[in-house]
Amino acid sequence: MITSQQTGLYYEVVGEGSPVVLVHAGIADSRMWDPQWVTFPRSHRVVRYDMRGFGRSPLAPGRYAPPADLIGLLEELALGPVALVGASMGGGISLQVAVARPDLVAALVLVGSGVRGHEWSEYVTRSWAEEEAAFERGDLDAAVEVNLRTWVDGPDRSPDDVDPEVRQKVGEMQRRALELYAEGGAGAEEEALVLDIGNRLGEISVPTLVLVGELDVADMHTVADRLEQEILGARRATIEGVAHIPSLERPGEFDELVLGFLADVEAA
């Protein structure tokens, strides 16, 4: 087990080549990148890590900012400017890092990314309320299932339409996060690093690829539209037949899009 001396985060590094850092979604941890952990290191130096309160990184009382944690890890590893591949919450964190420390970022891949300040739909806010209610009554299984229905299945599929191994894997990662929050989350206060990131997307000048799953919630398509429009030169692609976690559901197509984009960035 490798733990960052500066941030206390669990991380792994493998491969050689231009550096890529994988930033996981809020319903997962670094294990969501297992397929890419096989393919990406063939051409890149690849880092994946668990944010505080996920996987093998505990959550302790006190204030913390996930983007600042990522910056601390990047400084400690001293890889030079990296390509950040951020999914969902990890995309929102990557956006803040790109604005706060542009010297650390060479490219962005934003997968079903959130952005601070987005006005979430009733569909999503209702899901969060259901999850919170289940967690408060101590029913972690129900809380996990709410997240699986909302994000892995998506609004237009039933659980039977999704690979059961994908549902099981995400469910295990989500349950781990809920357990860690139950253990140390009471006194933890998460903060943003760039409070007005939604108004500063135009400051991002690095090559950017915006990805979204065809069957993801409508909010993710709305955010993807905005990122494509407001980040200069951003590319946009949709992965068909998947919801919020295309890297697990369609790893081959995901890899082709992301690695192809990174190869174009290097060639340019």
Side-chain angles (χ1 to χ4, degrees), residues 73-154:
L73 181 61
L74 294 176
E75 289 178 334
E76 181 177 334
L77 295 176
L79 299 171
V82 305
L84 293 177
V85 180
S88 190
M89 180 177 75
I93 289 168
S94 299
L95 285 168
Q96 292 186 52
V97 173
V99 168
R101 288 293 304 276
D103 57 303
L104 295 175
V105 182
L108 286 172
V109 178
L110 305 169
V111 188
S113 178
V115 63
R116 183 178 175 83
H118 172 71
E119 294 187 12
W120 294 95
S121 66
E122 193 270 339
Y123 175 85
V124 172
T125 55
R126 184 177 69 245
S127 169
W128 286 337
E130 290 179 13
E131 177 196 8
E132 183 177 2
F135 180 83
E136 290 298 326
R137 67 175 183 266
D139 191 346
L140 297 190
D141 289 339
V144 168
E145 185 60 27
V146 169
N147 279 292
L148 292 177
R149 289 201 320 265
T150 304
W151 300 109
V152 179
D153 304 343

Side-chain angles (χ1 to χ4, degrees), residues 2 11 16 55 71 216 219 222 248 268:
I2 306 175
Y11 72 91
E16 298 294 336
I71 288 171
D216 207 343
D219 295 76
T222 299
L248 281 175

Side-chain angles (χ1 to χ4, degrees), residues 48-260:
R48 64 176 175 177
Y49 74 103
D50 291 332
M51 297 182 216
R52 294 183 200 232
F54 295 87
R56 285 163 281 191
S57 295
L59 185 62
R63 296 182 178 180
Y64 72 102
D69 281 345
L70 177 52
I71 288 171
L73 181 61
L74 294 176
E75 289 178 334
E76 181 177 334
L77 295 176
L79 299 171
V82 305
L84 293 177
V85 180
S88 190
M89 180 177 75
I93 289 168
S94 299
L95 285 168
Q96 292 186 52
V97 173
V99 168
R101 288 293 304 276
D103 57 303
L104 295 175
V105 182
L108 286 172
V109 178
L110 305 169
V111 188
S113 178
V115 63
R116 183 178 175 83
H118 172 71
E119 294 187 12
W120 294 95
S121 66
E122 193 270 339
Y123 175 85
V124 172
T125 55
R126 184 177 69 245
S127 169
W128 286 337
E130 290 179 13
E131 177 196 8
E132 183 177 2
F135 180 83
E136 290 298 326
R137 67 175 183 266
D139 191 346
L140 297 190
D141 289 339
V144 168
E145 185 60 27
V146 169
N147 279 292
L148 292 177
R149 289 201 320 265
T150 304
W151 300 109
V152 179
D153 304 343
D156 300 314
R157 294 192 295 184
S158 73
D160 292 337
D161 296 325
V162 182
D163 184 340
E165 292 186 5
V166 171
R167 279 188 118 253
Q168 179 181 356
K169 188 178 187 72
V170 176
E172 290 172 353
M173 292 186 283
Q174 177 67 93
R175 186 180 180 90
R176 173 61 175 160
L178 293 174
E179 290 171 346
L180 287 171
Y181 187 81
E183 293 170 6
E189 298 181 43
E190 182 179 336
E191 300 178 330
L193 181 64
V194 182
L195 296 176
D196 58 347
I197 183 64
N199 297 322
R200 298 178 65 182
L201 298 176
E203 296 179 25
I204 297 172
S205 59
V206 296
T208 300
L209 173 64
V210 178
L211 292 180
V212 66
E214 175 194 15
L215 304 178
D216 207 343
V217 301
D219 295 76
M220 297 295 92
H221 292 271
T222 299
V223 172
D225 289 343
R226 182 178 175 188
L227 296 173
E228 180 186 16
Q229 293 166 7
E230 296 188 28
I231 298 176
L232 182 65
R235 299 187 197 177
R236 167 80 179 274
T238 299
I239 300 181
E240 296 182 359
V242 299
H244 202 52
I245 311 291
S247 61
L248 281 175
E249 280 206 80
R250 295 284 191 278
E253 187 172 348
F254 179 87
D255 291 357
E256 182 177 359
L257 285 168
V258 175
L259 292 174

